[in-house]
C-alpha cells in the first residue's frame, strides 16, 4: 500500500486462534510451517520475517483494557513494519463471528496531524483522527516483536499463520515510534496465531495435532499494558475486587432479608 490509500476488509465466519509457545516449540513450528505454507509476500524478497511495531490507543480510564461497552470490540492502533517511512492507521472491529478492519497508509512524518484540534479533511488519516477525538483516546503503549508469517489458500479463502517472538513494550504518550531505553520484555514465550474462515483448514489441524497446541486467549495489547503500566493494572484490579466484594455483600443482605420475610 502507498501513502494515502485505504483498504476495508470484512471476514465473516472468521477465526483467529492463538497459542502460547515455548521458544523451542516455536522454532520447530516455524520450520514445519515453512514446508507446508508459502511465505507472506509482504515480508519482502527472500524472507518470511519482519519487525512489527504497534502503538495502541485507549481512553484515560482504560476502557479498552477494561473491556467496557463498545470499547470491548474495537481496537485503534498504528502499525509500522521494519523502519518503513509509511505507517498504517487501523481500526479492528470484532464480533462473535466477523472481523472488520479499516486500514489507511500514511507517512510517519504526518502523524503529528493526529494532535490537531480539529481534523483535516485533506488528509487520508482524517477518519482515524476523528474517531480518536470522538472516543477520547490517546496513545498508551508501544509493542514490538519479530514476526514470521506464512500463508495459503483454501476453498473458503486465504489462511495465515504468524509466529511472534521477542516481544517488547514500553509506555508512550505520542505515536512517534521512537524506541527509547527501558523497553520491557513482555513474555519469554512466543505467540502463534492461525487466521482462517469457516472450518479449520487441514494444514492447521495437522500442525495443532503434531505440536499438541492448545489455544489460549492472548492479547499483545494487554501484555503491553501489564508490563508498561503496572500501576494502572493494579488499580483496575483493586477496583474490580471492590465491586465484586460490594456485589457479594448486597447478595448476602438480600438473602438475609428474604429469610426474615419468610419467617415473619
Amino acid at each position: 500500500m502507498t501513502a494515502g490509500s485505504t483498504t476495508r476488509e470484512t471476514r465473516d465466519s472468521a477465526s483467529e486462534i492463538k497459542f502460547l509457545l515455548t521458544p523451542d516449540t516455536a522454532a520447530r513450528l516455524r520450520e514445519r510451517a515453512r514446508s507446508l505454507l508459502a511465505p507472506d509476500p509482504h515480508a519482502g524478497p527472500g524472507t518470511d520475517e519482519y519487525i512489527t511495531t504497534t502503538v495502541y490507543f485507549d481512553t484515560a480510564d482504560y476502557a479498552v483494557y477494561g473491556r467496557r461497552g463498545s470499547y470491548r470490540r474495537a481496537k485503534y492502533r498504528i502499525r509500522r513494519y521494519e523502519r518503513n517511512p509509511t505507517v498504517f492507521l487501523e481500526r479492528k472491529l470484532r464480533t462473535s463471528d466477523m472481523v472488520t478492519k479499516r486500514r489507511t497508509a500514511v507517512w510517519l512524518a504526518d502523524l503529528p496531524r493526529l494532535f490537531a484540534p480539529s481534523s483535516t479533511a485533506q488528509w487520508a488519516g482524517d477518519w482515524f483522527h476523528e474517531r480518536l477525538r470522538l472516543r477520547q483516546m490517546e496513545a498508551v503503549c508501544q509493542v514490538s516483536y519479530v514476526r514470521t508469517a506464512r500463508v495459503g489458500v483454501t476453498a473458503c479463502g486465504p489462511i495465515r499463520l504468524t509466529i511472534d517472538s521477542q516481544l517488547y513494550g514500553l509506555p508512550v504518550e505520542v505515536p512517534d515510534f521512537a524506541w527509547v531505553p527501558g523497553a520491557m520484555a513482555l513474555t519469554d514465550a512466543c505467540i502463534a496465531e492461525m487466521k482462517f474462515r469457516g472450518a479449520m483448514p487441514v494444514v492447521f489441524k495437522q500442525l495443532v495435532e503434531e505440536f499438541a497446541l492448545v489455544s489460549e486467549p492472548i492479547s499483545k495489547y494487554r501484555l503491553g499494558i501489564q508490563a508498561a503500566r503496572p500501576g494502572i493494572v493494579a488499580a483496575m484490579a483493586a477496583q474490580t475486587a471492590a465491586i465484586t466484594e460490594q456485589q457479594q455483600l448486597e447478595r448476602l443482605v438480600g438473602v438475609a432479608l428474604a429469610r426474615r420475610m419468610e419467617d415473619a
Side-chain angles (χ1 to χ4, degrees):
M1 289 177 63
T2 58
S5 59
T6 295
T7 61
R8 296 173 185 263
E9 177 188 10
T10 299
R11 290 182 286 133
D12 56 1
S13 302
S15 296
E16 297 181 344
I17 303 177
K18 296 180 181 179
F19 308 88
L20 201 61
L21 312 176
T22 65
D24 177 67
T25 300
R28 291 187 294 110
L29 176 62
R30 186 180 293 111
E31 291 309 308
R32 184 72 172 114
R34 284 170 174 159
S35 70
L36 299 172
L37 297 164
D40 185 342
H42 297 101
T47 184
D48 60 359
E49 293 187 346
Y50 49 91
I51 297 173
T52 300
T53 305
T54 305
V55 173
Y56 292 95
F57 291 79
D58 209 330
T59 62
D61 61 351
Y62 290 84
V64 176
Y65 184 85
R67 296 170 173 166
R68 296 195 296 273
S70 64
Y71 292 93
R72 179 185 183 89
R73 297 183 295 113
K75 284 185 179 179
Y76 289 82
R77 63 197 184 192
I78 306 177
R79 183 159 285 180
R80 186 185 188 189
Y81 300 103
E82 296 288 345
R83 304 300 296 173
N84 201 300
T86 302
V87 297
F88 297 87
L89 312 177
E90 296 184 355
R91 181 198 64 188
K92 185 177 182 180
L93 178 64
R94 181 170 183 83
T95 59
S96 59
D97 64 348
M98 181 176 294
V99 175
T100 302
K101 183 185 289 187
R102 183 175 181 180
R103 196 176 206 230
T104 298
V106 299
W107 295 114
L108 174 64
D110 285 340
L111 288 185
R113 292 181 182 234
L114 293 176
F115 307 109
S118 60
S119 59
T120 304
Q122 293 76 21
W123 186 42
D126 173 64
W127 69 271
F128 192 84
H129 177 280
E130 187 68 7
R131 297 299 193 285
L132 294 183
R133 186 183 67 82
L134 291 175
R135 297 177 71 82
Q136 298 181 314
M137 303 176 78
E138 56 189 21
V140 291
C141 78
Q142 177 173 300
V143 174
S144 180
Y145 47 90
V146 177
R147 165 163 287 183
T148 303
R150 308 295 294 189
V151 298
V153 178
T154 70
C156 294
I159 63 174
R160 193 164 189 255
L161 169 67
T162 58
I163 303 172
D164 299 333
S165 61
Q166 302 177 49
L167 284 81
Y168 287 87
L170 74 166
V172 297
E173 297 179 355
V174 178
D176 57 7
F177 289 87
W179 197 257
V180 297
M184 294 151 283
L186 305 187
T187 175
D188 293 331
C190 302
I191 299 174
E193 183 173 12
M194 296 177 177
K195 295 183 179 182
F196 56 92
R197 295 174 64 179
M200 177 177 281
V202 173
V203 64
F204 285 169
K205 288 183 179 180
Q206 179 181 344
L207 293 174
V208 168
E209 294 174 2
E210 184 175 338
F211 292 90
L213 302 180
V214 179
S215 63
E216 297 185 42
I218 309 161
S219 165
K220 287 188 281 292
Y221 169 61
R222 295 182 71 80
L223 289 176
I225 289 294
Q226 289 162 9
R229 298 186 181 271
I232 295 296
V233 175
M236 293 183 69
Q239 183 182 34
T240 300
I243 292 173
T244 301
E245 183 178 357
Q246 180 64 26
Q247 290 173 338
Q248 291 174 341
L249 179 60
E250 291 174 355
R251 190 178 301 112
L252 290 174
V253 170
V255 171
L257 288 175
R259 288 177 177 174
R260 286 186 182 183
M261 293 178 66
E262 291 175 356
D263 295 339

